[in-house]
Amino acid sequence: MSLLSLTRAGLLLTGLLASSFSIPALADGTIRLNFGVYSSNKPSAMVKVYRPILKELEKNMTRRLDRNVDIRMQIAKDYDQGISHLINGRVDFSAFGPASYVEAKRMNQGINILAVENVKNSKVFYGIIAVNKNSTMSDIRELRGKSFAFGDEGSTIGRFLSQLELEQADIRAGDLNRYEYLGRHDKVGTAVGAGSFDAGALNEKTFKKLVEAGEPIRELTRFPNVTKPWIARSGLDDEILAALRESLLEVKDQKTLAALKIDGFLEGSDDDYKVIRKAMDNNSIFFEDREEVLISSRPAGHAEPGMQAAVAGGQLQVDMGNAVKIEHSPDLHHASEEGDHHQLTVNITLPRSLFEANRNGHALTINLRIPEHAIDDPVPQSVGD
């Protein structure tokens, strides 16, 4: 079992044990809850954003439960620690980004969505790929060969969705000059503004805040994301869970909501995050090498299906324009002179655009042109489809 699997198994075990924990109560009967959030911005900024709503939740829950409620805030140093705190019961409820919720749900099916943030009567908001204000780039495809700043490795916008956006523009990790994970969204924005990276991914909220503060960055493109879920730990008392959910849904104070830069809360479910789950499951594609079609020629009688020829030696020319890279053995000519029948392998790297076209109903044909003097027996000059 890998170290990562062992770590997740340990977190899951502690999470299951945490489900039996009772809610701490003070001597006067006050219910104490711990709210967790990871540091996607400066800790002081996080307190400023979340303190108002925690105060309102205390008031609303006290009225609903007819007992005093005291909510303490706990800021995790990063995404992984934030997930760990919820899974192992160190906090009772949290505000997570979508990818962190998906990861936590995988580790412990017992966690529950309380509500999701409402942005302009929608569960959708945007991530931004930003460039320096003085950059001449106008299209995401121009990022090929450039440097890129991602956020945290567990970030929905800072990693998974921005990498999906790049991959859909036919840019993968290997196509970038370099890239780094900087953690917080504000660090990404300031790094791009300082010219340390050609572009970077950050959430729209932080992007606007940095622009208003004079950071020299501008939007290159944007992509949709699902709003943040607020999540309760596994095993939270049903009465407290219900009171917490109802109290979130009734938050109306404009100052409180303005601090969060949202318009309230909406009912949510795990189905809201299917798109995020898919982006995470397919994220490995961004780091893969380009698709390769491997064409091998073998002695007659041992041809693969669709291959009816054998090549003993000589030069093999593949006519595919500028989109193809060809590799062959340097010993090919020597083997031909000795008369030995050796396998000839040709590796052809095709651009992704050709595969996209093929899926739309267009034929994909690879033409192999082989000089007549290079073979003893007739060889077909093309391998189609």
Side-chain angles (χ1 to χ4, degrees), residues 9 38-39 48 57 74 77 86 95 135 153 169 179 181 251 254 262 264 274 279-280 323 325 327 342 349 355 357:
Y38 45 66
S39 185
K48 186 176 180 180
L57 288 177
Q74 189 164 318
K77 65 179 181 180
L86 183 70
S135 171
E153 290 188 66
Y179 65 90
Y181 294 94
V251 172
Q254 292 304 305
I262 62 174
K274 284 182 178 179
M280 294 173 68
K325 292 188 295 186
E327 300 174 4
H342 290 264
T349 302
F355 289 89

Side-chain angles (χ1 to χ4, degrees), residues 54 92 109 180 197 229 244 274 279 324 384-385:
L54 296 183
D92 300 297
Q109 290 293 315
E180 291 182 32
F197 292 87
L244 187 51
K274 284 182 178 179
V324 182
D385 298 338

Side-chain angles (χ1 to χ4, degrees), residues 129 140-141 143 148 150 155-173 176 181 201 221-226 273-287 290 352 356:
I129 291 181
I140 186 175
R141 289 169 292 186
L143 290 175
F148 200 98
F150 295 106
S155 171
T156 312
I157 286 173
R159 176 185 176 179
F160 295 108
L161 291 182
S162 56
Q163 289 177 357
L164 176 63
E165 191 74 6
L166 288 169
E167 196 274 326
Q168 289 177 340
D170 199 31
I171 298 173
R172 296 188 181 182
L176 296 172
Y181 294 94
T221 190
R222 60 174 50 210
F223 49 88
N225 184 23
V226 187
Y273 299 92
K274 284 182 178 179
V275 173
I276 308 302
R277 188 172 282 109
K278 183 177 180 180
M280 294 173 68
D281 290 342
N282 295 333
N283 183 247
S284 60
I285 295 174
F286 178 71
F287 300 96
R290 294 288 171 180
R352 186 175 182 82
E356 294 292 344

Side-chain angles (χ1 to χ4, degrees), residues 57-73:
L57 288 177
E58 286 177 341
K59 180 180 66 176
N60 292 345
M61 291 185 70
T62 294
R63 172 173 50 82
R64 289 180 179 279
L65 297 171
D66 198 26
R67 293 173 64 186
N68 288 331
V69 175
D70 176 60
I71 301 177
R72 301 294 176 90
M73 183 175 178

Side-chain angles (χ1 to χ4, degrees), residues 53-217:
I53 192 169
L54 296 183
K55 287 294 184 183
E56 185 161 350
L57 288 177
E58 286 177 341
K59 180 180 66 176
N60 292 345
M61 291 185 70
T62 294
R63 172 173 50 82
R64 289 180 179 279
L65 297 171
D66 198 26
R67 293 173 64 186
N68 288 331
V69 175
D70 176 60
I71 301 177
R72 301 294 176 90
M73 183 175 178
Q74 189 164 318
I75 302 175
K77 65 179 181 180
D78 55 29
Y79 287 57
D80 289 340
Q81 188 180 68
I83 292 172
S84 173
H85 285 175
L86 183 70
I87 295 302
N88 67 25
R90 187 170 179 176
V91 299
D92 300 297
F93 69 111
S94 296
F96 277 176
S100 295
Y101 161 71
V102 170
E103 183 65 19
K105 187 70 172 179
R106 283 174 177 165
M107 296 165 67
N108 188 342
Q109 290 293 315
I111 64 174
N112 293 284
I113 290 180
L114 296 164
V116 300
E117 294 182 352
N118 173 7
V119 177
K120 298 179 180 178
N121 295 317
S122 173
K123 297 178 183 179
V124 176
F125 74 112
Y126 290 89
I128 302 292
I129 291 181
V131 295
N132 191 281
K133 189 175 181 179
N134 297 321
S135 171
T136 60
M137 287 186 285
S138 60
D139 190 286
I140 186 175
R141 289 169 292 186
E142 295 178 74
L143 290 175
R144 182 182 296 275
K146 301 296 195 298
S147 58
F148 200 98
F150 295 106
D152 189 278
E153 290 188 66
S155 171
T156 312
I157 286 173
R159 176 185 176 179
F160 295 108
L161 291 182
S162 56
Q163 289 177 357
L164 176 63
E165 191 74 6
L166 288 169
E167 196 274 326
Q168 289 177 340
D170 199 31
I171 298 173
R172 296 188 181 182
D175 299 319
L176 296 172
N177 177 45
R178 67 183 177 91
Y179 65 90
E180 291 182 32
Y181 294 94
L182 303 187
R184 302 196 318 246
H185 293 277
D186 59 323
K187 287 186 176 181
V188 171
T190 54
V192 173
S196 300
F197 292 87
D198 295 308
L202 64 164
N203 65 53
E204 185 179 25
K205 185 191 307 181
T206 303
F207 171 78
K208 288 182 176 179
K209 183 177 179 181
L210 290 173
V211 170
E212 290 171 359
E215 196 67 52
I217 56 177

Side-chain angles (χ1 to χ4, degrees), residues 12 19 23 25 68 93 96 111 141 165 169 171 186 201 208 211 235-236 253 298 307 309 334 341 349 353-354 363 370:
L12 176 58
S19 65
I23 298 297
N68 288 331
F93 69 111
F96 277 176
I111 64 174
R141 289 169 292 186
E165 191 74 6
I171 298 173
D186 59 323
K208 288 182 176 179
V211 170
L236 188 64
D253 183 77
R298 302 176 186 275
M307 299 290 290
H334 176 70
H341 285 244
T349 302
S353 57
L354 288 182
I370 305 172

